[in-house]
Amino acid sequence: QIAASLPLKKQLWQQTIIAKIENQAAHLAMQSADNRPLLALANKVKSGDSENCEAQAAAYYWKNVFPDFLSFKREREGAAPNNLLNYGYAILRAMVARNLVASGLLPTLGIHHRNQYNAYCLADDIMEPYRPYVDKVVCDIVKMNGKYLEMTPNMKEQLLSIPKLDVMIDGQKNPLFNATQRSTASLSKCFEGNSKTLLYPVF
Protein backbone atom coordinates (compact mmCIF):
# COMPACT_ATOMS: atom_id res chain seq x y z
CA GLN A 1 0.00 0.00 0.00
CA ILE A 2 2.78 2.43 0.95
CA ALA A 3 4.70 1.54 -2.22
CA ALA A 4 1.67 1.98 -4.52
CA SER A 5 2.61 4.00 -7.61
CA LEU A 6 0.91 7.28 -8.47
CA PRO A 7 -0.45 5.90 -11.80
CA LEU A 8 -2.07 2.99 -9.91
CA LYS A 9 -3.66 5.37 -7.36
CA LYS A 10 -4.94 7.62 -10.17
CA GLN A 11 -6.43 4.64 -11.97
CA LEU A 12 -8.13 3.41 -8.77
CA TRP A 13 -9.52 6.91 -8.17
CA GLN A 14 -10.86 6.99 -11.76
CA GLN A 15 -12.71 3.70 -11.15
CA THR A 16 -14.04 5.04 -7.84
CA ILE A 17 -15.43 8.25 -9.34
CA ILE A 18 -17.00 6.47 -12.33
CA ALA A 19 -18.77 4.10 -9.89
CA LYS A 20 -19.89 7.01 -7.71
CA ILE A 21 -21.31 9.07 -10.61
CA GLU A 22 -23.04 6.02 -12.15
CA ASN A 23 -24.65 5.24 -8.78
CA GLN A 24 -25.73 8.89 -8.37
CA ALA A 25 -27.25 8.70 -11.88
CA ALA A 26 -29.15 5.51 -11.01
CA HIS A 27 -30.43 7.10 -7.80
CA LEU A 28 -31.59 10.23 -9.67
CA ALA A 29 -33.50 8.03 -12.13
CA MET A 30 -35.20 6.37 -9.16
CA GLN A 31 -36.25 9.84 -7.94
CA SER A 32 -37.69 10.53 -11.46
CA ALA A 33 -35.05 13.18 -12.23
CA ASP A 34 -33.12 13.52 -15.49
CA ASN A 35 -29.86 11.62 -15.05
CA ARG A 36 -28.43 12.05 -18.57
CA PRO A 37 -25.92 14.80 -17.60
CA LEU A 38 -24.47 12.42 -14.98
CA LEU A 39 -24.21 9.49 -17.39
CA ALA A 40 -22.37 11.78 -19.80
CA LEU A 41 -19.96 12.87 -17.02
CA ALA A 42 -19.31 9.25 -15.97
CA ASN A 43 -18.03 8.60 -19.51
CA LYS A 44 -15.64 11.53 -19.33
CA VAL A 45 -13.76 10.64 -16.13
CA LYS A 46 -10.02 10.45 -16.80
CA SER A 47 -7.19 8.97 -14.76
CA GLY A 48 -7.12 10.69 -11.35
CA ASP A 49 -10.34 12.53 -12.34
CA SER A 50 -8.09 15.31 -13.66
CA GLU A 51 -11.08 17.33 -14.95
CA ASN A 52 -12.93 17.06 -11.63
CA CYS A 53 -16.04 15.37 -13.01
CA GLU A 54 -16.86 14.43 -9.41
CA ALA A 55 -17.52 18.08 -8.46
CA GLN A 56 -19.50 18.76 -11.66
CA ALA A 57 -21.63 15.67 -10.99
CA ALA A 58 -22.18 16.69 -7.35
CA ALA A 59 -23.40 20.17 -8.35
CA TYR A 60 -26.03 18.69 -10.68
CA TYR A 61 -26.95 15.80 -8.37
CA TRP A 62 -27.61 17.88 -5.26
CA LYS A 63 -29.68 20.35 -7.26
CA ASN A 64 -32.00 17.56 -8.44
CA VAL A 65 -32.12 14.80 -5.84
CA PHE A 66 -34.42 16.35 -3.21
CA PRO A 67 -37.85 17.97 -3.71
CA ASP A 68 -37.76 21.66 -4.66
CA PHE A 69 -39.49 22.77 -1.44
CA LEU A 70 -36.29 22.02 0.50
CA SER A 71 -34.13 24.41 -1.62
CA PHE A 72 -31.33 22.03 -0.63
CA LYS A 73 -27.63 22.90 -0.49
CA ARG A 74 -25.11 20.25 0.56
CA GLU A 75 -23.15 21.78 3.44
CA ARG A 76 -21.91 19.91 6.49
CA GLU A 77 -23.36 22.50 8.86
CA GLY A 78 -26.26 23.39 6.53
CA ALA A 79 -30.01 23.07 7.00
CA ALA A 80 -31.78 19.69 7.16
CA PRO A 81 -31.53 17.11 5.68
CA ASN A 82 -27.75 17.75 5.91
CA ASN A 83 -28.01 16.47 9.50
CA LEU A 84 -29.38 13.13 8.26
CA LEU A 85 -26.80 12.82 5.48
CA ASN A 86 -23.97 13.52 7.96
CA TYR A 87 -25.25 10.83 10.32
CA GLY A 88 -25.65 8.27 7.51
CA TYR A 89 -22.20 9.03 6.08
CA ALA A 90 -20.63 8.68 9.54
CA ILE A 91 -22.09 5.14 9.78
CA LEU A 92 -20.81 4.34 6.28
CA ARG A 93 -17.34 5.74 6.98
CA ALA A 94 -16.95 3.71 10.20
CA MET A 95 -17.99 0.56 8.36
CA VAL A 96 -15.51 1.13 5.52
CA ALA A 97 -12.68 2.01 7.94
CA ARG A 98 -13.31 -1.18 9.91
CA ASN A 99 -13.24 -3.32 6.76
CA LEU A 100 -10.08 -1.61 5.46
CA VAL A 101 -8.29 -2.64 8.66
CA ALA A 102 -9.75 -6.17 8.36
CA SER A 103 -8.29 -6.29 4.82
CA GLY A 104 -4.84 -5.41 6.19
CA LEU A 105 -4.88 -1.79 4.94
CA LEU A 106 -4.07 1.51 6.65
CA PRO A 107 -7.14 3.77 6.58
CA THR A 108 -4.84 6.83 6.88
CA LEU A 109 -3.18 6.45 3.46
CA GLY A 110 -5.69 7.56 0.85
CA ILE A 111 -5.57 6.98 -2.90
CA HIS A 112 -6.90 10.52 -3.41
CA HIS A 113 -7.82 12.22 -0.13
CA ARG A 114 -4.80 13.61 1.73
CA ASN A 115 -4.93 15.38 5.05
CA GLN A 116 -2.52 14.96 7.94
CA TYR A 117 -5.37 15.63 10.40
CA ASN A 118 -7.63 12.93 8.92
CA ALA A 119 -6.97 9.36 10.06
CA TYR A 120 -9.50 8.00 7.56
CA CYS A 121 -8.43 9.32 4.15
CA LEU A 122 -8.70 5.88 2.53
CA ALA A 123 -12.14 5.28 4.08
CA ASP A 124 -13.24 8.63 2.60
CA ASP A 125 -12.03 7.42 -0.81
CA ILE A 126 -13.62 3.97 -0.79
CA MET A 127 -16.98 5.08 0.63
CA GLU A 128 -17.65 7.44 -2.32
CA PRO A 129 -19.62 5.00 -4.54
CA TYR A 130 -21.66 3.93 -1.49
CA ARG A 131 -22.92 7.43 -0.65
CA PRO A 132 -26.01 7.22 -2.93
CA TYR A 133 -27.34 4.36 -0.75
CA VAL A 134 -27.31 6.73 2.23
CA ASP A 135 -28.87 9.44 0.05
CA LYS A 136 -31.74 7.11 -0.86
CA VAL A 137 -32.52 6.37 2.80
CA VAL A 138 -32.54 10.13 3.45
CA CYS A 139 -34.82 10.72 0.41
CA ASP A 140 -37.23 8.13 1.85
CA ILE A 141 -37.20 9.96 5.20
CA VAL A 142 -37.93 13.28 3.41
CA LYS A 143 -40.87 11.69 1.56
CA MET A 144 -42.33 10.56 4.89
CA ASN A 145 -41.64 13.73 6.89
CA GLY A 146 -41.63 16.67 4.47
CA LYS A 147 -39.86 19.67 6.00
CA TYR A 148 -39.89 18.22 9.53
CA LEU A 149 -36.39 16.79 9.52
CA GLU A 150 -35.03 17.21 13.03
CA MET A 151 -33.57 13.81 13.94
CA THR A 152 -36.10 11.53 15.66
CA PRO A 153 -35.53 8.02 17.09
CA ASN A 154 -37.44 6.62 14.09
CA MET A 155 -35.17 8.43 11.59
CA LYS A 156 -32.11 7.26 13.51
CA GLU A 157 -33.40 3.68 13.30
CA GLN A 158 -33.80 3.99 9.51
CA LEU A 159 -30.25 5.32 9.16
CA LEU A 160 -28.83 2.62 11.44
CA SER A 161 -30.28 0.00 9.05
CA ILE A 162 -27.83 1.15 6.29
CA PRO A 163 -25.32 -1.72 6.91
CA LYS A 164 -28.13 -4.24 6.27
CA LEU A 165 -29.35 -2.73 2.96
CA ASP A 166 -29.26 -5.15 0.02
CA VAL A 167 -26.86 -4.05 -2.72
CA MET A 168 -25.69 -5.68 -5.96
CA ILE A 169 -21.94 -6.22 -6.20
CA ASP A 170 -20.14 -8.45 -8.69
CA GLY A 171 -23.52 -9.77 -9.90
CA GLN A 172 -24.60 -10.88 -6.41
CA LYS A 173 -26.88 -9.45 -3.75
CA ASN A 174 -25.03 -8.68 -0.51
CA PRO A 175 -25.83 -6.70 2.64
CA LEU A 176 -24.07 -3.35 2.31
CA PHE A 177 -21.69 -4.20 5.17
CA ASN A 178 -20.49 -7.30 3.29
CA ALA A 179 -20.24 -5.33 0.06
CA THR A 180 -17.85 -2.82 1.70
CA GLN A 181 -15.81 -5.83 2.84
CA ARG A 182 -15.59 -7.04 -0.77
CA SER A 183 -14.55 -3.56 -1.93
CA THR A 184 -11.73 -3.31 0.62
CA ALA A 185 -10.54 -6.87 -0.15
CA SER A 186 -10.46 -6.01 -3.88
CA LEU A 187 -8.40 -2.89 -3.10
CA SER A 188 -5.92 -5.03 -1.19
CA LYS A 189 -5.56 -7.27 -4.29
CA CYS A 190 -4.90 -4.18 -6.45
CA PHE A 191 -2.11 -3.07 -4.10
CA GLU A 192 -0.65 -6.60 -4.18
CA GLY A 193 -0.62 -6.49 -8.00
CA ASN A 194 -3.08 -9.39 -8.29
CA SER A 195 -5.91 -7.33 -9.79
CA LYS A 196 -6.53 -4.05 -11.58
CA THR A 197 -10.21 -3.76 -10.74
CA LEU A 198 -11.88 -2.36 -7.64
CA LEU A 199 -15.16 -4.08 -6.82
CA TYR A 200 -17.96 -1.58 -6.22
CA PRO A 201 -21.73 -1.98 -5.95
CA VAL A 202 -24.08 -1.14 -8.82
CA PHE A 203 -27.05 0.89 -7.62
Side-chain angles (χ1 to χ4, degrees), residues 149-162:
L149 297 171
E150 286 308 309
M151 182 82 75
T152 64
N154 189 20
M155 289 177 193
K156 202 172 266 191
E157 199 177 315
Q158 277 174 271
L159 291 162
L160 286 168
S161 72
I162 287 166

Side-chain angles (χ1 to χ4, degrees), residues 11 49 58:
Q11 192 199 357
D49 189 21

